[in-house]
Amino acid sequence: MAPAPPDSRVDVLIVGAGPAGLMAATWMSRCGLKTRIVDKRNTKVFAGQADGLQCRTLEILDSFDFGHRAWREANHMLEICLWNPDENGQIRRSDRIPDTIPGISRFQQVVLHQGRIERFFLDSLKEHGGIQVERGVMPEALELEDADPHDREAYPVKVTLRHLTEEQATPATINGTAKNGTVQSGLFRSNLTPDDTEDLLNAAKGNPRAGLTEIVRAKYLIGCDGAHSWVRRQLGFVMEGEQTDYIWGVLDIIPITDFPDIRMRCAIHSADAGSVMVIPRENKLVRLYIQLTRTEKGGGQHDRSKITPDMILKSAQKIMAPYKIDYEYCDWWTAYQIGQRVGSSFSKNERIFLAGDAVHTHSPKAGQGMNISMQDTYNLGWKIANVVKGVADPAILKTYQSERRRIAQDLIAFDHRFSRLFSGRPAKDVMDEEGISMQEFKEAFEKGNMFASGIAVDYGTSLIVAKPGDAASEGDGSDVSAANSKKPQVVGKQSLSSVIKLGMRMPSFQVLSQADARPWQFQELLKSNGRWRLVVFAGDVKQATQKARVQALGEALAKPDSFLHRYTPADAPIDSVIEVLTIHCSPRREVELLDDFHEIFHPFRKEVGWDYWKVFVDDDSYHEGHGQAYKNYDVDPVRGCMVVLRPDQYVSWIGELDDMADLERFFDGFMLARR
Amino acid sequence: MAPAPPDSRVDVLIVGAGPAGLMAATWMSRCGLKTRIVDKRNTKVFAGQADGLQCRTLEILDSFDFGHRAWREANHMLEICLWNPDENGQIRRSDRIPDTIPGISRFQQVVLHQGRIERFFLDSLKEHGGIQVERGVMPEALELEDADPHDREAYPVKVTLRHLTEEQATPATINGTAKNGTVQSGLFRSNLTPDDTEDLLNAAKGNPRAGLTEIVRAKYLIGCDGAHSWVRRQLGFVMEGEQTDYIWGVLDIIPITDFPDIRMRCAIHSADAGSVMVIPRENKLVRLYIQLTRTEKGGGQHDRSKITPDMILKSAQKIMAPYKIDYEYCDWWTAYQIGQRVGSSFSKNERIFLAGDAVHTHSPKAGQGMNISMQDTYNLGWKIANVVKGVADPAILKTYQSERRRIAQDLIAFDHRFSRLFSGRPAKDVMDEEGISMQEFKEAFEKGNMFASGIAVDYGTSLIVAKPGDAASEGDGSDVSAANSKKPQVVGKQSLSSVIKLGMRMPSFQVLSQADARPWQFQELLKSNGRWRLVVFAGDVKQATQKARVQALGEALAKPDSFLHRYTPADAPIDSVIEVLTIHCSPRREVELLDDFHEIFHPFRKEVGWDYWKVFVDDDSYHEGHGQAYKNYDVDPVRGCMVVLRPDQYVSWIGELDDMADLERFFDGFMLARR
């Protein structure tokens, strides 16, 4: 009998190693938390499944240093073509619109299959020491004891894990619905997946503890175990929402077709054969979402076992006629029924959390699922890490549900509207009230694009977002106002910028490093490492008055009893809890980093000298033009301003350089003194 | 006794696994040649050594799909600061110039240590099947038999390889000159090198054949075995050139300093204490090149064994005074004597080739060494592959020496001039004839930047570069005119573009894919896979006359007896020897790929349908502006032109769309019919 693991206590136990679970594990690895992540399946996904990546998701992956891998391998979608019936009922291209609204992000929406995204997470976990997905392991009992939220040594979550035998952990077919005769996986094997071999070998080796159970005690548990979430069922939470009778089929094929826009994202509404959405993918693949039934309700129960790839293809051929479409190679296929549901609660006592498909399900066509799921744990991970490390009060954990359940509700509303517009029959003319107006569809599509980018996320007021308004109504109803309600709520000065918006993610424009003139997208500097950031827009430091203000700020920050020192452990570098980044807008060549800026803006350490990577300038570059950061951020180029960013790049607070008292009060609302 | 390898015959044997050898192996892996690569050392380099990467080198690495890894990890150098003595003899910043001339490449010069570059090559070899560096293996005998150059089954090179024991293969110290007391390699261990572990483990396992010898027969041998090249000595070739008495020290340190430009590349000339070059590097490191002796000749033999890091630092401190410079961490250090030498010959019978340090040595300050070495085998690799695969006549192999020995000669001349300007004492005034004029130095530096970018390379006329002039005088003197000298030499029409220059690498501008509107830098489409390319600038295909010309070209190319078909094996895809890429400049939305372009421009295959990745357009993009490719390439936007690119992206030929006869004659000069 194999021995139990030496220590079964962890800071965080994650159940489920899909995108949401891997995102959570990634935060923990970057923040140095003791973590285990288990998954009952013994391999990760190899084809099909979710594939759309929002702009915001790419920004997030980039903050962990692997966004470029997705960006390089993915298929980039630039244009959406709308195809509608003409007066003779034949489909015609009626419109072209940009897939991603120009200017909202430095990335555009792309498509890459989930298996590759998971691979990037796994590689990144490997590079950053230690956390390994334990496959073929599933929970079978869960207990939650009462514990003081402030007790950092409490392990109130007790989970019994079962180590499955190889047979138990292997799904009947890898993708659930794949049909061997059709899916010729050998013929066009992707050249992008050689590094999956190791996974397969590991799985084949089996688990020496197969068949045994063990008990793990954790400070926090995150359930990322999918639509049929075991964790959710243990907590007794329910999924609220509804199901329709619309059934859609999905084919991932290399298309052989004369349809002109097969490499564009297309929404095709036929006159009366249903709709198709075309999603061009990597490796010559195209995904087709194909409508199979035409009624929203009362169509009776459809026999899904009778759905075959051939039947789905025939539907596509009818909808896309007179164009021909066929394939020799099908990578994956499935079928689904449209429904939208949200979990009744996302957390139990802020010790157990649910994320991803475990708390929201909806139709896949808008390419949102994997994104929203990863963004759930992207929101949660740093909060848990901040609490475990004693940086922040556990009260911040309540903002997870208020922020993310609200997003799930918005998503479901969006999907509800969008699905119905997509599944409906196009109106023949303005008198046809049962039909869908194609003009309305186009407008919904355009509006949907902003939502679908992930950039529109706007978190409500709370102890970590200093904006006006009512916390309950801006979130999902939870109370997340400042921890110490005796102090008046701090509110940032939104008037200082119309672009840097409280509650939204920090936009990105180009700035140059003062020390070496290298251009950076400002977002590239905001790595996900658990640190808060104070961004000092220092303005025009060549003006004497402004220079004095910046100097005064530097002196205030450098005082031994400043919040910067109070929140930072005495033996840790001064930038390890809150990093101060400065952007000025005087001409780069007229400013000297060491002479013109107080030391706190470029701290000295005796082993490595000055820090040359904290002060930036809004000036012309040699090769990449001028970022016009002050103009684009809409910040006063003389007086500047200060901005607090959460570790996930959302804007917490904005104020004047002289607003030190407010700034300190904001941090005092949730940060814990360390000395 | 371990058995001999099952088959000791290879297409190519590479001796030496530094950057030149790895570049050669990379070509072979992409072209599918049977290859072995051996190196007598049992580990790759871990610190120090060469570090500068030219723009052109980054373009080349990008053509193998890993340029982005270097680009991301490297330190980017944007600005050069010149520091000279003022009237009081104190150093002052006198000038700032861009490090890379704006506009010459989509990359700028960066710095990253050789070990990482080697790692990228090794990872890429692993991803592309099979070739593994055999470490601890060195040649001990070499024979070259006579063989018909056209005999594709001849293996005239016979090499005896010795498998070293671990002890034999381990250098006394890893970097040769590292001093344990100083090099605190544990303290700041780079977080960029975790994947070297595998290498170390493999080396530790040892070689089961240690101490044994084996015989390998190869079609071609490439000697990339460094300045003391064993292969070169076997061939009896000599290094021609001279040595000076100038001695320089090199320190790789994390500097603790108040020198303001320590993160810029700096050339510091002190009044009379010598010169320092500052090269800021990755991971907070800075490399300092520090002059130790002040005479070019006649200073007597310097005792190099007495040089220590401390002595080098003291020289730097004197030169950089009144600024202070010190360090707690030194990553690597060395010292060298300036000299410039070139090999007398680069090839024996076009069966054995020498590349890299084996045929050129010079001073390291211009950051050229690793670049020129990699570019040697980048030039050679595809030629050998083309010959082995029967694509091209062996006559093309002669162009290796004519092209690369000429580059080496140019490099040596550049380095000679540059080193002396750098090592000389600054002139006190215009009457000081022994001193170096700082104006002259600045001008040399600026001119040097073009050379140092690697973009200025301009190969002479030959059977594969259809430009006017005399092959011998444009190269190193070798005769490389067309193989069949009875046919008149083909000459491209340089007048069709002032930017796409015969003999130079194809510049890059943005174009959009016609099928999906995605923007691409044109160079991104020119992957290094051994294929030649015919770039058809189709002009304005909405104009009837031009459309007819393009259609006529398509029909001519599609004929069963066209050169495209004649050079392509009957069972291979039509783009496998020469790929046709098209760029038109009509509005993207007014053109339909399938209707408006002859099938040869987007070939059909029955398994995968139409090829959507061959036709591009010069039009506005949604997110990246307008590439203005026709304007930037200086190509007539109505009539267009045709350009032939070698597999290494150098321009071979340029002509009108109607110049099919010339085009065919050009290819007939060296390509072999396959059916």
Side-chain angles (χ1 to χ4, degrees):
Chain A
M1 194 168 111
D7 186 348
S8 293
R9 287 178 179 244
V10 293
D11 293 325
V12 181
L13 175 65
I14 301 163
V15 177
L22 290 169
M23 175 65 82
T26 299
W27 261 127
M28 303 313 158
S29 85
R30 299 302 171 98
C31 295
L33 267 61
K34 192 168 175 197
T35 304
R36 286 179 67 180
I37 173 169
V38 301
D39 197 296
K40 65 181 178 186
R41 296 172 305 161
N42 63 6
T43 58
K44 66 183 190 64
V45 300
F46 286 100
Q49 308 289 8
D51 57 2
L53 289 175
Q54 299 177 344
C55 309
R56 179 58 188 150
T57 301
L58 285 160
E59 293 180 0
I60 291 170
L61 300 187
D62 192 61
S63 77
F64 287 113
D65 277 329
F66 55 86
H68 67 287
R69 295 188 66 184
W71 185 248
R72 284 178 59 86
E73 286 188 16
N75 187 59
H76 293 210
M77 297 198 301
L78 279 304
E79 192 171 82
I80 300 173
C81 296
L82 303 182
W83 286 71
N84 294 318
D86 63 12
E87 58 277 14
N88 304 316
Q90 185 175 316
I91 57 168
R92 298 260 180 225
R93 184 197 297 129
S94 63
D95 274 296
R96 301 181 192 251
I97 56 178
D99 192 289
T100 302
I101 299 166
I104 60 170
S105 171
R106 61 204 167 98
F107 296 104
Q108 289 92 49
Q109 180 163 315
V110 301
V111 178
L112 182 65
H113 90 79
Q114 183 176 333
R116 286 306 289 165
I117 310 298
E118 294 182 7
R119 166 53 52 200
F120 304 151
F121 276 112
L122 295 171
D123 287 349
S124 153
L125 286 171
K126 193 173 168 187
E127 273 167 37
H128 291 82
I131 301 177
Q132 270 198 318
V133 175
E134 301 171 49
R135 301 198 186 273
V137 177
M138 66 181 286
E140 61 174 31
L142 167 63
E143 281 174 55
L144 176 60
E145 294 159 9
D146 276 337
D148 175 358
H150 292 90
D151 179 357
R152 287 174 56 203
E153 294 312 311
Y155 292 82
V157 185
K158 183 179 160 192
V159 176
T160 309
L161 292 180
R162 172 166 295 277
H163 293 254
L164 305 177
T165 61
E166 202 179 327
E167 200 177 15
Q168 286 170 325
T170 307
T173 65
I174 282 180
N175 298 309
T177 54
K179 204 181 86 177
N180 279 335
T182 310
V183 181
Q184 304 159 24
S185 59
L187 185 53
F188 291 87
R189 191 86 190 217
S190 157
N191 62 359
L192 292 175
T193 51
D195 46 6
D196 286 325
T197 320
E198 199 186 336
D199 255 30
L200 284 171
L201 290 176
N202 286 342
K205 271 186 238 154
N207 182 342
R209 289 189 269 146
L212 304 182
T213 61
E214 63 165 318
I215 289 170
V216 177
R217 288 172 191 277
K219 292 176 180 166
Y220 298 94
L221 171 68
I222 310 177
C224 307
D225 48 348
H228 303 288
S229 172
W230 178 90
V231 177
R232 186 186 68 223
R233 278 179 286 138
Q234 306 316 299
L235 299 177
F237 297 162
V238 294
M239 296 297 283
E240 299 165 343
E242 53 168 316
Q243 192 86 349
T244 70
D245 288 344
Y246 285 130
I247 292 186
W248 286 68
V250 186
L251 286 182
D252 280 355
I253 56 174
I254 296 182
I256 300 168
T257 183
D258 58 357
F259 180 70
D261 289 344
I262 199 69
R263 296 301 309 172
M264 297 291 189
R265 186 166 156 209
C266 294
I268 308 172
H269 271 97
S270 73
D272 46 26
S275 299
V276 160
M277 164 103 74
V278 178
I279 307 278
R281 300 188 47 179
E282 70 279 12
N283 287 336
K284 299 194 169 88
L285 289 170
V286 170
R287 171 166 293 187
L288 300 176
Y289 288 103
I290 301 148
Q291 188 174 358
L292 300 180
T293 60
R294 315 255 13 247
T295 28
E296 175 169 358
K297 285 288 175 194
Q301 196 56 29
H302 209 94
D303 186 354
R304 285 173 60 176
S305 70
K306 293 214 176 113
I307 298 175
T308 64
D310 200 51
M311 174 204 258
I312 302 175
L313 177 67
K314 285 211 166 66
S315 292
Q317 287 168 335
K318 234 194 260 174
I319 297 164
M320 293 172 75
Y323 297 102
K324 294 185 178 10
I325 182 154
D326 205 337
Y327 64 82
E328 297 242 324
Y329 174 69
C330 173
D331 192 61
W332 186 75
W333 67 276
T334 191
Y336 63 91
Q337 201 155 357
I338 292 180
Q340 291 93 12
R341 294 188 300 167
V342 181
S344 53
S345 179
F346 278 30
S347 158
K348 179 80 173 177
N349 297 1
E350 284 77 63
R351 287 289 185 176
I352 303 180
F353 299 90
L354 296 171
D357 291 352
V359 277
H360 38 74
T361 62
H362 48 88
S363 65
K365 276 191 306 297
Q368 294 299 295
M370 179 166 61
N371 297 279
I372 304 284
S373 294
M374 286 192 275
Q375 286 166 29
D376 283 347
T377 44
Y378 185 64
N379 180 289
L380 176 62
W382 66 268
K383 294 175 183 172
I384 293 180
N386 265 206
V387 171
V388 168
K389 300 187 87 173
V391 168
D393 190 282
I396 69 167
L397 296 175
K398 278 192 194 294
T399 62
Y400 171 65
Q401 168 160 330
S402 80
E403 292 177 345
R404 297 309 301 178
R405 188 156 172 268
R406 173 57 182 265
I407 294 293
Q409 289 163 340
D410 292 349
L411 168 64
I412 261 53
F414 165 75
D415 188 57
H416 184 90
R417 177 170 151 77
F418 186 72
S419 293
R420 275 159 187 75
L421 284 172
F422 207 74
S423 298
R425 174 182 59 75
K428 293 195 175 62
D429 50 46
V430 288
M431 300 300 291
D432 178 4
E433 289 183 5
E434 280 190 3
I436 305 286
S437 146
M438 287 299 99
Q439 188 55 31
E440 188 188 348
F441 178 73
K442 183 188 172 192
E443 284 161 16
F445 219 115
E446 284 176 325
K447 253 189 246 166
N449 261 4
M450 187 65 206
F451 181 86
S453 72
I455 302 297
V457 165
D458 185 2
Y459 292 139
T461 178
S462 73
L463 74 172
I464 52 173
V465 176
K467 73 183 193 187
D470 171 57
S473 66
E474 290 181 6
D476 87 317
S478 318
D479 178 18
V480 288
S481 33
N484 185 341
S485 53
K486 275 167 282 177
K487 293 186 190 173
Q489 167 98 6
V490 181
V491 174
K493 295 178 177 168
Q494 186 62 77
S495 60
L496 293 174
S497 165
S498 62
V499 173
I500 302 171
K501 288 193 183 142
L502 292 163
M504 297 184 76
R505 76 90 169 86
M506 182 74 173
S508 188
F509 301 104
Q510 179 179 288
V511 293
L512 310 185
S513 164
Q514 175 66 39
D516 68 9
R518 176 170 176 179
W520 292 95
Q521 278 288 323
F522 187 64
Q523 233 174 35
E524 292 181 87
L525 307 170
L526 308 177
K527 294 299 177 201
S528 290
N529 51 20
R531 296 184 202 185
W532 288 73
R533 291 190 176 89
L534 175 62
V535 183
V536 178
F537 283 89
D540 184 357
V541 294
K542 294 302 285 179
Q543 295 203 6
T545 331
Q546 182 65 8
K547 188 168 182 178
R549 291 178 81 215
V550 176
Q551 181 67 17
L553 173 64
E555 281 162 15
L557 291 170
K559 274 188 195 152
D561 64 344
S562 78
F563 68 87
L564 208 52
H565 280 99
R566 272 191 295 119
Y567 299 138
T568 308
D571 55 352
I574 192 64
D575 62 352
S576 56
V577 172
I578 303 172
E579 179 180 37
V580 180
L581 294 175
T582 304
I583 308 173
H584 75 86
C585 60
S586 301
R588 177 179 63 84
R589 294 164 181 224
E590 295 175 20
V591 168
E592 297 288 346
L593 175 66
L594 303 186
D595 296 343
D596 291 335
F597 284 94
H598 188 283
E599 152 167 8
I600 197 79
F601 299 114
H602 53 95
F604 185 87
R605 281 166 61 196
K606 76 176 179 43
E607 307 86 1
V608 297
W610 296 109
D611 189 330
Y612 298 97
W613 296 273
K614 299 276 200 249
V615 176
F616 299 84
V617 52
D618 182 21
D619 200 350
D620 206 18
S621 72
Y622 283 115
H623 309 282
E624 307 290 334
H626 195 308
Q628 300 291 0
Y630 270 69
K631 192 174 155 218
N632 284 318
Y633 278 123
D634 185 26
V635 166
D636 186 306
V638 175
R639 294 178 56 82
C641 69
M642 287 199 285
V643 176
V644 173
L645 300 180
R646 312 187 333 181
D648 56 1
Q649 301 112 29
Y650 286 82
V651 179
S652 281
W653 178 86
I654 180 166
E656 297 270 10
L657 295 193
D658 328 283
D659 287 336
M660 266 294 279
D662 253 28
L663 177 57
E664 191 141 5
R665 219 151 47 82
F666 166 73
F667 279 122
D668 277 345
F670 64 94
M671 275 221 177
L672 302 176
R674 306 295 278 281
R675 50 174 159 173
Chain B
M1 194 169 114
D7 186 347
S8 292
R9 287 177 179 246
V10 293
D11 293 325
V12 180
L13 175 64
I14 301 163
V15 177
L22 290 169
M23 175 66 83
T26 299
W27 261 127
M28 302 314 156
S29 85
R30 300 302 171 98
C31 295
L33 265 61
K34 192 170 175 193
T35 304
R36 285 177 69 180
I37 172 169
V38 301
D39 196 296
K40 64 181 177 184
R41 296 171 305 161
N42 64 5
T43 58
K44 67 184 190 62
V45 300
F46 286 100
Q49 309 288 8
D51 58 1
L53 289 175
Q54 299 177 345
C55 309
R56 179 58 188 151
T57 301
L58 285 160
E59 292 179 1
I60 291 170
L61 300 187
D62 192 64
S63 77
F64 286 114
D65 276 328
F66 56 87
H68 66 289
R69 295 188 68 184
W71 185 246
R72 283 178 60 84
E73 287 188 16
N75 187 59
H76 293 209
M77 296 198 300
L78 278 304
E79 192 170 83
I80 300 173
C81 295
L82 303 183
W83 286 72
N84 294 318
D86 63 11
E87 58 279 13
N88 303 315
Q90 185 175 316
I91 57 167
R92 299 261 180 223
R93 183 196 297 127
S94 62
D95 274 297
R96 300 181 193 251
I97 55 177
D99 192 292
T100 303
I101 298 166
I104 59 170
S105 172
R106 62 205 166 96
F107 296 103
Q108 289 92 49
Q109 181 164 315
V110 300
V111 178
L112 183 64
H113 90 79
Q114 182 176 334
R116 287 305 290 165
I117 311 298
E118 294 182 8
R119 166 53 52 200
F120 305 151
F121 276 112
L122 294 171
D123 287 349
S124 154
L125 286 171
K126 193 173 168 187
E127 274 167 36
H128 292 81
I131 301 177
Q132 270 197 318
V133 175
E134 301 170 48
R135 300 199 186 274
V137 178
M138 65 181 288
E140 60 174 32
L142 167 61
E143 282 174 54
L144 176 60
E145 293 160 8
D146 276 338
D148 176 356
H150 291 90
D151 180 357
R152 287 175 54 206
E153 294 312 312
Y155 291 82
V157 185
K158 184 178 159 192
V159 176
T160 309
L161 292 179
R162 171 167 295 277
H163 293 255
L164 304 178
T165 61
E166 202 178 328
E167 203 177 11
Q168 287 171 323
T170 307
T173 65
I174 283 179
N175 297 313
T177 54
K179 203 181 83 175
N180 279 336
T182 311
V183 180
Q184 303 158 26
S185 59
L187 186 53
F188 290 88
R189 189 91 194 211
S190 157
N191 62 359
L192 293 175
T193 51
D195 46 5
D196 286 325
T197 319
E198 199 186 335
D199 254 29
L200 283 171
L201 289 176
N202 286 342
K205 269 186 239 153
N207 182 342
R209 287 189 270 146
L212 304 182
T213 60
E214 63 164 318
I215 288 170
V216 178
R217 289 171 189 279
K219 292 177 181 166
Y220 298 94
L221 171 68
I222 311 178
C224 308
D225 49 348
H228 304 287
S229 173
W230 178 91
V231 176
R232 185 187 68 222
R233 279 179 286 138
Q234 305 318 298
L235 299 177
F237 298 162
V238 294
M239 295 298 282
E240 298 165 344
E242 52 168 316
Q243 193 85 351
T244 70
D245 288 343
Y246 285 129
I247 292 186
W248 286 68
V250 186
L251 286 181
D252 279 356
I253 57 173
I254 297 183
I256 301 170
T257 183
D258 58 356
F259 180 71
D261 289 343
I262 197 70
R263 297 301 309 170
M264 298 291 190
R265 186 166 156 208
C266 295
I268 307 172
H269 271 96
S270 72
D272 46 28
S275 299
V276 161
M277 165 103 72
V278 178
I279 307 279
R281 299 188 46 180
E282 70 279 12
N283 288 335
K284 301 196 169 83
L285 289 170
V286 170
R287 170 167 294 187
L288 299 176
Y289 288 103
I290 301 149
Q291 189 173 358
L292 300 180
T293 60
R294 315 253 15 245
T295 25
E296 177 169 357
K297 285 287 176 198
Q301 196 59 28
H302 208 94
D303 185 355
R304 284 174 60 178
S305 70
K306 293 213 178 115
I307 298 175
T308 66
D310 200 50
M311 172 205 259
I312 301 176
L313 178 67
K314 285 210 167 65
S315 291
Q317 287 167 334
K318 234 193 264 175
I319 297 164
M320 293 172 75
Y323 298 102
K324 293 184 179 12
I325 182 152
D326 205 338
Y327 63 83
E328 296 242 324
Y329 174 68
C330 173
D331 193 61
W332 186 76
W333 67 276
T334 191
Y336 62 90
Q337 200 156 357
I338 293 180
Q340 291 94 12
R341 295 187 299 167
V342 181
S344 54
S345 179
F346 278 30
S347 157
K348 178 80 177 176
N349 295 4
E350 284 77 64
R351 287 289 184 175
I352 303 179
F353 299 91
L354 296 171
D357 291 352
V359 277
H360 38 74
T361 62
H362 48 90
S363 65
K365 276 190 307 295
Q368 294 298 297
M370 178 165 62
N371 297 279
I372 304 285
S373 295
M374 286 193 275
Q375 287 166 28
D376 283 347
T377 44
Y378 186 63
N379 179 290
L380 176 62
W382 65 268
K383 293 175 184 172
I384 292 180
N386 265 204
V387 172
V388 168
K389 301 186 87 171
V391 168
D393 190 283
I396 70 168
L397 296 175
K398 277 191 194 293
T399 63
Y400 171 64
Q401 169 161 330
S402 79
E403 292 177 345
R404 297 308 301 177
R405 189 156 171 269
R406 172 56 181 265
I407 294 293
Q409 290 163 339
D410 291 350
L411 167 65
I412 261 51
F414 165 75
D415 188 57
H416 185 88
R417 179 170 150 76
F418 186 72
S419 293
R420 276 158 186 76
L421 283 172
F422 208 72
S423 298
R425 174 181 58 76
K428 294 194 173 64
D429 50 44
V430 288
M431 300 302 291
D432 178 4
E433 288 185 5
E434 279 190 0
I436 305 286
S437 146
M438 287 299 100
Q439 188 55 33
E440 187 189 348
F441 179 72
K442 184 187 170 190
E443 283 161 17
F445 219 115
E446 285 176 324
K447 251 190 246 164
N449 262 2
M450 187 65 205
F451 181 84
S453 71
I455 302 298
V457 165
D458 185 2
Y459 291 139
T461 179
S462 73
L463 74 172
I464 53 174
V465 176
K467 73 182 190 187
D470 170 57
S473 65
E474 291 181 6
D476 86 317
S478 317
D479 178 19
V480 288
S481 35
N484 186 342
S485 52
K486 276 168 281 179
K487 292 186 187 172
Q489 166 100 4
V490 181
V491 174
K493 295 178 177 168
Q494 188 60 76
S495 60
L496 294 173
S497 164
S498 62
V499 174
I500 302 170
K501 288 191 182 142
L502 292 164
M504 297 184 76
R505 76 92 170 83
M506 182 74 172
S508 188
F509 301 104
Q510 178 180 287
V511 294
L512 309 184
S513 162
Q514 174 66 38
D516 67 10
R518 177 171 178 178
W520 292 95
Q521 278 287 324
F522 187 64
Q523 231 175 35
E524 292 180 87
L525 307 170
L526 309 177
K527 294 298 176 203
S528 290
N529 51 21
R531 296 183 201 185
W532 288 74
R533 292 191 174 88
L534 175 63
V535 182
V536 177
F537 284 88
D540 184 357
V541 294
K542 296 301 286 180
Q543 294 202 8
T545 332
Q546 182 65 7
K547 188 168 182 175
R549 289 178 81 215
V550 177
Q551 180 68 18
L553 172 64
E555 281 163 14
L557 290 170
K559 273 188 196 150
D561 64 345
S562 78
F563 68 87
L564 208 52
H565 280 99
R566 272 191 294 119
Y567 300 137
T568 309
D571 55 352
I574 192 65
D575 62 353
S576 55
V577 172
I578 302 172
E579 181 181 34
V580 180
L581 294 175
T582 304
I583 307 173
H584 74 87
C585 61
S586 302
R588 177 178 63 85
R589 293 162 183 227
E590 294 174 20
V591 168
E592 298 288 346
L593 174 66
L594 303 187
D595 295 345
D596 291 335
F597 284 94
H598 188 284
E599 153 166 8
I600 197 77
F601 299 113
H602 53 94
F604 185 87
R605 280 166 61 196
K606 76 176 181 40
E607 309 85 0
V608 297
W610 295 109
D611 189 330
Y612 298 98
W613 295 273
K614 299 275 201 250
V615 177
F616 299 84
V617 51
D618 182 20
D619 200 349
D620 206 17
S621 72
Y622 283 115
H623 308 282
E624 308 289 334
H626 195 308
Q628 301 291 0
Y630 270 69
K631 192 174 152 218
N632 283 318
Y633 278 123
D634 185 27
V635 167
D636 186 308
V638 175
R639 294 179 54 85
C641 70
M642 287 198 287
V643 176
V644 173
L645 301 181
R646 313 187 332 181
D648 56 2
Q649 301 112 30
Y650 285 81
V651 179
S652 281
W653 178 87
I654 180 166
E656 297 270 10
L657 296 192
D658 328 283
D659 287 336
M660 267 294 279
D662 252 27
L663 177 57
E664 192 143 4
R665 218 151 47 82
F666 166 72
F667 278 121
D668 278 344
F670 62 93
M671 274 221 177
L672 301 177
R674 305 296 278 279
R675 50 174 158 177

